[in-house]
Amino acid sequence: PYLLQQPHDEAVFLVEQYHLLSQYFMAAAPRHPLLWYAIQYALLNVWNHQNIDQLNAATTTGPHALHQAYRAFRRDAGVLIDPIQP
């Protein structure tokens, strides 16, 4: 049978519409750096938002913030792969 996560995997994400990493299903090893990046980007986006009443969750803390985090994580790891490019 097909297993979504393999023994050597440290994180698993589904790729959703527009080739963004999913937020509705993800799994990662404890203290995985990508999740740290995602939290940092979400906090930074909220902190820098001018009007919290007009906050767009998808871009501020949602899949677009996760994509920002993924790109920064891969850049800092020296691996430039963008899931938006099919």
Side-chain angles (χ1 to χ4, degrees), residues 25-79:
F25 182 88
M26 59 179 150
R31 302 184 190 282
H32 193 285
L34 176 55
L35 297 184
W36 183 86
Y37 275 76
I39 291 168
Q40 298 304 310
Y41 270 87
L43 290 172
L44 182 66
N45 289 342
V46 169
W47 183 260
N48 288 332
H49 206 281
Q50 299 291 354
N51 186 347
I52 201 78
D53 292 336
Q54 297 176 356
L55 184 130
N56 179 336
T59 57
T60 306
T61 60
H64 294 281
L66 180 59
H67 181 69
Q68 287 178 303
Y70 177 78
R71 290 179 55 140
F73 169 68
R74 298 300 294 220
R75 179 196 65 228
D76 292 349
V79 181

